Amino acid sequence: SLTTVSEHNDGLESFYDLSPTFSPDGKKIAYKHSSRSRGCSIDIYSIEEKKVQTLAECPISRTDALDWSPDGLHLVTNVFNHIKKIESLVLVNATTGKNKILLAPSENASGYLWPRFSPDGNSIAVVYFQPNNHLWVIGLVDVKSGEFSEIFSSGEEVSQVVWSEDGSMLYYLIVRSKEQGIWQIDLNSKEAEQVVEINSSSLDYNRKKDQFVYIEREKQHNIWRSSHGVDGKLNTAPFIPNLPQTNYPTLSPDNKYLAYISTESGIDSLWVMTIETHASLLLFQAKHSDKLR
């Protein structure tokens, strides 16, 4: 997500741009734009014209997702079903902004998450969690009827799903598990196998070049510092924010330096920082298989 803060006459306002998706011709990007003053809208940015068009208000939802149909006529996103208390799908006309809500899941679940149109545009692949039996289910929603058909279920957490170029397979992510990584499932045989082991929570796929793009999941930590103010109160605030996996911060005897270990992409490093200037110096970087303690 992208967060921007702008100065207005009425003070500071935060804007959030979420869930970007390209049009089939690659000339436009649709995304959800949320701000304090105007709420949430689905906007379309024309790359060549450098113009933004507000298409429609965002349907009320608890999750953010957006995908563009292969024919360019519709966007699909989530909408919260207040009766069943789950996420359903809604089609948004990419020209008029009019909505068509599809059938909600028949079983109690989190709802239909991460919707992705099939290459032929007839189906939408989704993932939804059934909390009663702790199953993550991959299935297809028929665009015309809204009917759901189950393809695969897993006891491991599944995040996102994308299509192969010919529509014969689905790729999906398993996260927070010993089996984490990109998996594929053949829609005909229903056989699943791991493609590559990665630690990620988001995924996209280049159908023409058979390539994946994903974000590496890194833990972010703050090193905090407490100090007494002039009023005698103890103030605590982040001293070094947004560090990768971090352990064992220690102060030098004269309180001028801070030493800590930081782990990024599986590699441990020993750092020292000057507290007054925040200047950092890398002292030692371990080998990929070594751990620093």
Side-chain angles (χ1 to χ4, degrees):
S1 64
L2 173 66
T3 306
T4 331
V5 180
S6 300
E7 181 78 46
H8 293 280
N9 294 331
D10 56 351
L12 290 173
E13 180 171 11
S14 295
F15 298 84
Y16 301 91
D17 296 326
L18 305 166
S19 308
T21 179
F22 275 98
S23 60
D25 59 10
K27 296 182 178 180
K28 299 178 180 178
I29 300 174
Y31 58 95
K32 291 185 178 182
H33 180 90
S34 180
S35 69
R36 192 178 305 167
S37 61
R38 57 178 261 190
C40 180
S41 63
I42 297 176
D43 291 357
I44 296 179
Y45 180 80
S46 298
I47 297 174
E48 294 178 352
E49 300 174 359
K50 298 182 180 179
K51 291 183 179 179
V52 177
Q53 168 204 353
T54 295
L55 179 65
E57 290 185 7
C58 299
I60 297 175
S61 64
R62 294 184 176 180
T63 58
D64 287 296
L66 204 60
D67 194 35
W68 213 314
S69 63
D71 58 12
L73 298 180
H74 294 92
L75 295 162
V76 63
T77 188
N78 295 103
V79 60
F80 186 68
N81 187 305
H82 289 279
I83 298 176
K84 292 188 174 183
K85 307 299 182 185
I86 52 179
E87 296 283 88
S88 186
L89 298 181
V90 57
L91 297 179
V92 182
N93 189 295
T95 302
T96 65
K98 291 183 178 180
N99 293 348
K100 176 188 175 183
I101 297 177
L102 301 181
L103 293 175
S106 58
E107 299 182 33
N108 289 333
S110 60
Y112 295 149
L113 308 178
W114 306 292
R116 288 292 186 101
F117 277 102
S118 61
D120 61 12
N122 294 328
S123 302
I124 301 172
V126 293
V127 180
Y128 77 100
F129 177 58
Q130 297 178 356
N132 293 338
N133 49 18
H134 198 80
L135 281 180
W136 293 85
V137 178
I138 296 175
L140 303 181
V141 176
D142 186 89
V143 172
K144 290 184 178 179
S145 67
E147 293 290 337
F148 174 83
S149 56
E150 181 177 325
I151 298 298
F152 174 77
S153 62
S154 171
E156 307 293 340
E157 182 179 348
V158 176
S159 171
Q160 293 198 258
V161 58
V162 295
W163 292 82
S164 64
E165 182 179 6
D166 60 3
S168 65
M169 287 191 298
L170 293 174
Y171 299 102
Y172 59 95
L173 273 176
I174 289 183
V175 300
R176 286 186 278 269
S177 166
K178 292 182 179 180
E179 298 181 338
Q180 66 183 14
I182 301 174
W183 287 68
Q184 68 180 28
I185 181 169
D186 189 292
L187 295 182
N188 294 319
S189 66
K190 303 298 190 296
E191 292 183 358
E193 63 176 327
Q194 189 176 37
V195 178
V196 62
E197 181 181 351
I198 61 170
N199 182 22
S200 179
S201 57
S202 59
L203 173 71
D204 203 358
Y205 176 66
N206 184 327
R207 294 172 183 159
K208 292 183 178 180
K209 294 188 177 181
D210 193 28
Q211 295 175 335
F212 295 99
V213 60
Y214 58 89
I215 296 175
E216 187 76 16
R217 183 194 290 259
E218 294 280 2
K219 293 181 179 178
Q220 297 291 317
H221 294 278
N222 298 332
I223 293 181
W224 291 69
R225 185 186 186 198
S226 297
S227 59
H228 289 280
V230 293
D231 56 1
K233 292 184 179 180
L234 187 66
N235 301 317
T236 302
F239 180 64
I240 310 176
N242 301 324
L243 282 169
Q245 300 166 355
T246 304
N247 291 293
Y248 316 112
T250 182
L251 287 165
S252 63
D254 58 8
N255 286 326
K256 292 183 178 181
Y257 300 96
L258 175 74
Y260 61 93
I261 293 170
S262 181
T263 305
E264 186 169 12
S265 300
I267 300 176
D268 286 1
S269 301
L270 176 62
W271 293 79
V272 66
M273 172 180 280
T274 305
I275 290 178
E276 185 176 344
T277 65
H278 280 226
S280 293
L281 176 66
L282 175 63
L283 297 182
F284 178 75
Q285 190 172 58
K287 295 179 181 179
H288 197 281
S289 58
D290 293 347
K291 302 299 294 182
L292 300 182
R293 291 287 185 263

